[in-house]
Amino acid sequence: MNYQERIKSLQAILRQNPNDTKIRKALALLLSENGFTQEALAHLIHITNSSEADSSVYYNLGILYEKLKNIDT
């Protein structure tokens, strides 16, 4: 399965259960790896608004902000 099919599959699962943070995180990482930085950022920010955000979510957020040159210094 190529990355486009995997993205579509994860999106379909997420439509069925929008509160599944594991699927949302997997989707965000896959999107990020394939150049969809803004979309990945939106998913990770969504996760930070839940109680299930862990350190890897914040780590990956930092990476995306750096890619977007959106870091306050």
Side-chain angles (χ1 to χ4, degrees):
M1 181 180 311
N2 65 32
Y3 81 89
Q4 294 161 331
E5 292 169 342
R6 183 77 177 129
I7 288 172
K8 287 180 182 179
S9 173
L10 290 172
Q11 287 172 331
I13 295 169
L14 198 55
R15 277 191 293 277
Q16 296 294 318
N17 187 3
N19 296 323
D20 189 332
T21 55
K22 289 181 183 181
I23 295 297
R24 188 173 298 276
K25 183 177 169 184
L27 177 58
L29 295 177
L30 185 59
L31 288 167
S32 175
E33 291 170 5
N34 290 286
F36 300 99
T37 308
Q38 291 287 351
E39 294 88 344
L41 184 65
H43 285 291
L44 290 177
I45 289 171
H46 182 85
I47 294 170
T48 63
N49 293 324
S50 76
S51 61
E52 296 183 38
D54 60 19
S55 60
S56 68
V57 170
Y58 292 100
Y59 173 79
N60 286 296
L61 264 176
I63 290 171
L64 292 178
Y65 280 131
E66 185 176 356
K67 281 184 181 180
L68 293 170
K69 307 291 187 225
N70 190 4
I71 300 174
D72 291 331
T73 54

